[in-house]
Amino acid sequence: MMLQTSKAFSSFSVKDIEEAKAFYESIGLKTKVGEMGILELALEGSENIMLYPKDNHEPATFTVLNFPVNNIEEAVDELISKGIKFEQYDSEYLKTDEKGISRGEQGPKIAWFKDPSGNILSVFEG
């Protein structure tokens, strides 16, 4: 099947390309503005992720981008030092500590944060 060999990539909308560009660069990602004002996030080892402007942007209610890291403590501390605020959850199935890290027995150590458009991103130890 030809889709199995396709170089698939992800995309999601943002409310403002320049604001998104500044944010993603501030957390250490390489960006470039491509055709039609689309922002590309260049990630080593994967296809570029496309962010496109949308006037009536509404953030998804789920995680749109996950970053696997070797050490979640170091990743969270580094992002906090760059001004990132991690989401806090306290429900029956999902609890985070004071840093915003979920350490549940049912999954990986993971922490969620949002970009300026409200899109949910995560770092997880994996």
Side-chain angles (χ1 to χ4, degrees):
M1 175 176 225
M2 94 174 102
L3 294 181
Q4 290 176 326
T5 58
S6 174
K7 298 286 187 189
F9 65 92
S10 178
S11 67
F12 54 91
S13 69
V14 295
K15 62 184 177 184
D16 182 280
I17 288 293
E18 288 304 315
E19 181 181 49
K21 183 177 188 305
F23 171 79
Y24 285 100
E25 288 176 353
S26 79
I27 62 170
L29 298 182
K30 293 179 182 171
T31 68
K32 72 176 187 177
V33 177
E35 295 178 26
M36 300 183 302
I38 291 175
L39 181 67
E40 294 181 35
L41 303 180
L43 301 171
E44 193 173 310
S46 70
E47 295 298 313
N48 288 357
I49 295 168
M50 311 295 234
L51 281 61
Y52 55 91
K54 187 174 178 190
D55 291 337
N56 59 350
H57 166 78
E58 290 197 26
T61 58
F62 51 85
T63 308
V64 298
L65 190 55
N66 297 283
F67 295 97
V69 296
N70 292 327
N71 184 311
I72 194 158
E73 295 288 340
E74 287 178 9
V76 167
D77 288 345
E78 181 180 333
L79 288 167
I80 288 171
S81 77
K82 295 175 186 256
I84 299 300
K85 293 183 191 297
F86 283 86
E87 298 297 298
Q88 296 290 320
Y89 298 107
D90 186 15
S91 70
E92 180 181 352
Y93 300 106
L94 180 59
K95 294 187 186 313
T96 54
D97 64 17
E98 64 281 346
K99 285 186 177 181
I101 301 171
S102 172
R103 303 171 191 275
E105 295 175 18
Q106 299 295 324
K109 294 177 186 171
I110 186 167
W112 294 271
F113 61 104
K114 293 181 180 178
D115 75 2
S117 294
N119 294 310
I120 302 170
L121 315 172
S122 84
V123 289
F124 71 93
E125 194 170 288

